[in-house]
Amino acid sequence: TRTIAQVVSDLRKGGTNAYPSLNPSTLLAKNSWEPSLEIDGRKVAPLAGISKATTVFCNESGEFIVYESDRYGFNNSDKIWDAGEIDIAALGDSFVHGMCVPREKNMPGVLAQKFPNTLNLGMSGNQSLLELAILLEYLSVIKPKIVVWGFYENDLKYLQNERQSPLLMRYLE
C-alpha cells in the first residue's frame, strides 16, 4: 500500500540511494516536448533513466519491482554492455521495459533465457520517436544480430505530441 515515494524514502533510510523510475517522455512532455537540458550548447533529450541506480519501478502484484539500472539507465545488468556481440536488442515502451514484472520475466528477460546476450532498451512511456532515437543512438553502435521493436497501437496517438519536438523530428532525417 506504500507509494513509490515512500519506498524510495525507506530504501534511502536503509542506506540505499534509490530513485523513482524516470520516464523520458514525461520529462519532455513537461517542457512542451522541447528538452531543457543542454550539453556544449546543444539541446539533448533524455533517452533512459538514471544510470547505475537502484530504481523503484512499479507495483501491480503487491510487491514493488526494484532494479539496478545499467550504465545508461536501462533495465539490464550492467555487464551486458561488456558482453561483446549482442544477439538480440529489444526496444519499446512499458511492455519491453518490464512494467511491474521482475527482470527475468519481462520480454527481454525471457528471450535472454535462450539468448543470453539480450539487451533491454525499453523505457516505460516512450513513444515512436524516442524509440527511434534509442535505436539510432545505441543500436547503430552496438549492431545487434536481431532487433525486436515492441510496438503498441497507442504509440501512433502520441506521435502527434512527439512531433512538436524539433530535436526528436531530426531523427527522421
Side-chain angles (χ1 to χ4, degrees):
T1 59
R2 297 180 299 162
T3 65
I4 289 176
Q6 290 169 323
V7 173
V8 168
S9 178
D10 290 346
L11 285 167
R12 287 182 177 179
K13 286 176 188 171
T16 300
N17 198 11
Y19 297 90
S21 178
L22 296 176
N23 300 340
S25 63
T26 303
L27 297 173
L28 283 170
K30 289 183 179 182
N31 293 313
S32 301
W33 292 92
E34 187 58 26
S36 57
L37 179 62
E38 289 186 19
I39 297 176
D40 295 330
R42 293 185 68 190
K43 296 234 181 217
V44 296
L47 297 179
I50 299 170
S51 63
K52 291 192 172 186
T54 300
T55 304
V56 180
F57 195 14
C58 55
N59 176 0
E60 287 184 350
S61 65
E63 185 176 330
F64 273 91
I65 299 301
V66 179
Y67 66 87
E68 295 297 317
S69 62
D70 66 23
R71 67 186 73 168
Y72 298 110
F74 292 103
N75 186 6
N76 294 295
S77 167
D78 193 61
K79 66 183 179 183
I80 188 68
W81 295 99
D82 300 322
E85 194 170 63
I86 297 295
D87 296 316
I88 299 174
L91 66 139
D93 60 9
S94 57
F95 293 110
V96 176
H97 188 179
M99 192 69 164
C100 299
V101 296
R103 184 179 286 165
E104 66 276 3
K105 292 185 179 180
N106 64 31
M107 184 264 286
V110 171
L111 288 172
Q113 292 171 19
K114 183 163 175 116
F115 305 96
N117 290 343
T118 296
L119 180 66
N120 183 349
L121 297 179
M123 286 303 302
S124 182
N126 274 6
Q127 292 131 30
S128 301
L129 292 181
L130 278 167
E131 293 164 3
L132 177 62
I134 290 169
L135 183 142
L136 294 172
E137 296 289 350
Y138 290 92
L139 299 185
S140 65
V141 175
I142 297 166
K143 299 183 186 332
K145 293 177 186 175
I146 298 170
V147 174
V148 176
W149 191 337
F151 177 79
Y152 192 69
E153 65 185 271
N154 69 342
D155 291 344
L156 289 176
K157 180 171 86 173
Y158 297 113
L159 182 58
Q160 293 302 97
N161 295 331
E162 285 186 303
R163 292 182 67 195
Q164 295 175 37
S165 170
L167 177 69
L168 293 178
M169 288 298 291
R170 285 197 304 242
Y171 283 103
L172 292 173
E173 296 173 1

